[in-house]
Amino acid sequence: QVQLVESGGGLVQAGDSLRLSCVASGRTFRSYTMGWFRQAPGKEREFVGTIKGNGITYIVDYADAVKGRFTISRDNAKNTVYLQMNTLKPADTAVYYCARGDGSGRYDYWGQGTQVTVSS
């Protein structure tokens, strides 16, 4: 059973930065695609970004809404994926989730989420 645990959320002001972390259990972390998603109150869950690769080199992709402000990285030695969020906006307020890709474009394991609230 894979477990994903997010942390790092909080209440910040517009323009501030936060870094979210997601620690994964399991011994083959490096080969898995990891994604970040978010869900704002009353809205559908939406894609934030993903980092995928072969365990050595990785490609990152971002939703247009966060491109240029958010950065995804990973530390395979720590089984951790990060979401660095800069220049935060009130529209970024949401519960942020990390998820593990199953190799088919879908995600099979999800964390419990961490709340990010950005005040204006």
Side-chain angles (χ1 to χ4, degrees):
Q1 181 75 7
V2 175
Q3 289 188 321
L4 303 176
V5 180
E6 302 99 335
S7 63
L11 172 63
V12 297
Q13 293 186 329
D16 286 350
S17 298
L18 273 178
R19 188 178 78 158
L20 306 184
S21 301
C22 171
V23 180
S25 63
R27 304 179 68 177
T28 58
F29 173 79
R30 65 175 59 246
S31 63
Y32 284 99
T33 293
M34 297 298 296
W36 284 98
F37 296 80
R38 67 186 182 185
Q39 187 166 20
K43 294 188 176 181
E44 299 275 324
R45 185 172 60 199
E46 65 175 1
F47 168 79
V48 174
T50 188
I51 181 166
K52 55 185 176 182
N54 59 9
I56 299 174
T57 58
Y58 294 91
I59 297 172
V60 290
D61 187 32
Y62 302 97
D64 287 344
V66 307
K67 202 169 292 184
R69 299 187 298 122
F70 290 12
T71 303
I72 296 175
S73 61
R74 63 194 297 162
D75 184 339
N76 291 329
K78 296 180 179 180
N79 275 21
T80 301
V81 61
Y82 302 99
L83 178 65
Q84 176 68 44
M85 306 184 293
N86 298 329
T87 319
L88 282 161
K89 306 174 181 180
D92 296 317
T93 295
V95 177
Y96 283 72
Y97 300 90
C98 68
R100 193 189 78 167
D102 68 357
S104 70
R106 292 187 292 267
Y107 293 83
D108 54 359
Y109 289 97
W110 294 78
Q112 82 289 350
T114 185
Q115 176 72 47
V116 172
T117 303
V118 184
S119 64
S120 58

